[in-house]
Amino acid sequence: MSVYNSLDSITEELHKCMKCGNCMAVCPIYKETRQEVAVARGKISLVEFLLSGEAEMTQGLAERFSLCTTCMACNNNCPCGVRFDKIILAARAEAVRKKGLHPVKKIAFTALKMQRMFDFGMKTGSMFQGVALKHVPHKSDRIARMRFDIGIGTDKVFPMLASKTLRSEFPEVVKVEKPKMRVAFFTGCMINYFYTDIGKAVVEVLKENDIEVVIPKGQGCCGIPASVNGDVASASALAKRNLRAFEKLGADALVVACSSGGTAWKHVFGELLDNDPQFKALADKWAGKSYDISEFLIHKVPFKKEGLGRVNRKVTYHDPCHLNRGQGINKEPREILKSIPGVELIEMKEPGRCCGMAGSFSLVHPDLSVQISDRKTADIELTHTDTVATGCPACRLQLKSGVENAGINEEVVHTVQILAESYRAGKKK
């Protein structure tokens, strides 16, 4: 039974918990609040009260369940193997069934399902973003801060919307002379609308490795923002849209450069569509050939190392939660970085610690998100590097905001961007 369909589906996970409190040692929220309700053990007790009938779902309980970044650190530290991420997702879905979705979230997730309207809205936003955003001068990034406080403060640094979406800049099929294989690229939202430089680097690297790239125009949001907030209906609709779009064009493999998007294709689509045999089969088929870009370049191609040029960077790497703990990918990005001439990889003390972004969590709990981020920023500063690499555009946003507000001169990029830079440098020899 899918965790998204019933609170009863996670009974087995609840029974595993022996209330030892090991989750307290790693929970980023507990470390800031020191409140029992913030940690997995506390929330498990609340879910048990709900199932036993000793408590009813209230708005207050729903808000408590929102206090989780779904970083999965507690999963890894649990001696009993409790999958707390499943428990919190089931609890949030139950909250939506019982109390409904917040009006702002309802509007946002409805818009995500209306792709043409959403594209038009983002295009309009790119033209008029100066009304709400104040540009921050920077040598390599187009970044800005809010001109006025809408509940998240005015210190947060955001990437500016690209003037052209990534998908509008490429044909659906990007051909190469003698292709080794045909690979579909799921762009996701942040890469399509904000960080088009990441998307261009993905295409550049794949072409450099003789791979034909398919970028379906019909693709949309991965649905993770909806699924982690309990909106199962919207998440399911978005999963179906993407499966139809990619099945229509076909490919030998699918690559993602966003940790949440990769988690969606590998794990979430199949669980969301568990009760729909046709789409469940399609989800399982694509899950079996979905790869994070670093995973694909190391294990599937492998990528060309001859022709790599020198890139003089001191780099530290941040492990995105959904890539590291969610997909078990942490060695591959480092292997890519170590293969690039001139790159010196310097590990921070806690590279796998959550950065505090967690999608909408950073908007709903902005102060707590910044507190978690500050610890990561301090860790980065101690490395004395000039570049932070990561495998997630949302983490890139959070990390950039952190170092910018701390006055640290640090560029924040996706791993694949440094690899693309190396290929370009190699051609200049």
Side-chain angles (χ1 to χ4, degrees), residues 143-372:
I143 54 178
R145 290 189 176 93
M146 297 297 297
R147 289 187 182 275
F148 40 82
D149 189 359
I150 57 170
I152 58 173
T154 55
D155 290 333
K156 184 86 173 181
V157 174
F158 295 95
M160 298 187 76
L161 281 160
S163 56
K164 291 183 179 180
T165 66
L166 179 75
R167 294 197 289 267
S168 71
E169 294 207 49
F170 290 98
E172 274 198 308
V173 181
V174 182
K175 296 186 177 293
V176 293
E177 195 171 329
K178 294 179 180 178
K180 291 179 182 175
M181 63 175 75
R182 178 182 170 99
V183 171
F185 177 26
F186 177 71
T187 65
C189 294
M190 291 202 69
I191 291 175
N192 187 50
Y193 299 112
F194 294 95
Y195 291 125
T196 56
D197 52 353
I198 297 176
K200 290 172 184 176
V202 169
V203 174
E204 184 179 348
V205 166
L206 291 175
K207 285 176 65 181
E208 198 67 37
N209 285 277
D210 305 313
I211 292 166
E212 183 175 278
V213 186
V214 181
I215 311 174
K217 300 289 186 188
Q219 65 178 293
C221 175
C222 66
I224 288 289
S227 65
V228 299
N229 281 284
D231 187 356
V232 178
S234 293
S236 299
L238 289 164
K240 289 178 179 180
R241 170 197 290 278
N242 285 310
L243 288 165
R244 286 193 200 99
F246 281 77
E247 183 66 16
K248 182 180 177 182
L249 290 177
D252 302 314
L254 178 148
V255 297
V256 187
C258 166
S259 60
S260 295
T263 298
W265 280 95
K266 291 180 181 182
H267 305 302
V268 179
F269 288 177
E271 187 144 21
L272 282 168
L273 305 172
D274 190 50
N275 293 333
D276 187 324
Q278 180 185 353
F279 276 101
K280 167 67 172 168
L282 208 54
D284 289 345
K285 169 188 168 182
W286 281 94
K289 54 182 181 180
S290 294
Y291 302 87
D292 176 73
I293 184 65
S294 65
E295 177 187 24
F296 179 80
L297 292 170
I298 294 296
H299 300 300
K300 192 70 178 174
V301 183
F303 74 101
K304 293 178 182 175
K305 294 181 181 177
E306 64 275 11
L308 289 175
R310 188 172 184 83
V311 176
N312 294 315
R313 289 181 182 266
K314 286 186 176 182
V315 180
T316 192
Y317 181 78
H318 163 71
D319 285 294
C321 300
H322 282 184
L323 190 60
N324 179 22
R325 288 181 284 272
Q327 300 173 53
I329 297 170
N330 47 59
K331 295 183 178 67
E332 292 85 349
R334 290 171 170 83
E335 189 172 331
I336 289 172
L337 291 169
K338 289 175 182 177
S339 71
I340 299 172
V343 167
E344 181 184 356
L345 181 61
I346 301 169
E347 294 286 1
M348 64 181 89
K349 186 179 178 181
E350 295 183 279
R353 187 187 181 114
C354 180
C355 69
M357 179 62 186
S360 61
F361 174 87
S362 63
L363 302 177
V364 178
H365 304 286
D367 293 339
L368 191 51
S369 174
V370 169
Q371 287 172 5
I372 296 169

Side-chain angles (χ1 to χ4, degrees), residues 7-29:
L7 203 56
D8 293 326
S9 65
I10 42 87
T11 303
E12 186 179 334
E13 294 299 328
L14 294 174
H15 288 164
K16 289 180 187 176
C17 179
M18 62 180 184
K19 307 295 192 294
C20 67
N22 273 24
C23 46
M24 299 164 78
V26 293
C27 176
I29 294 177

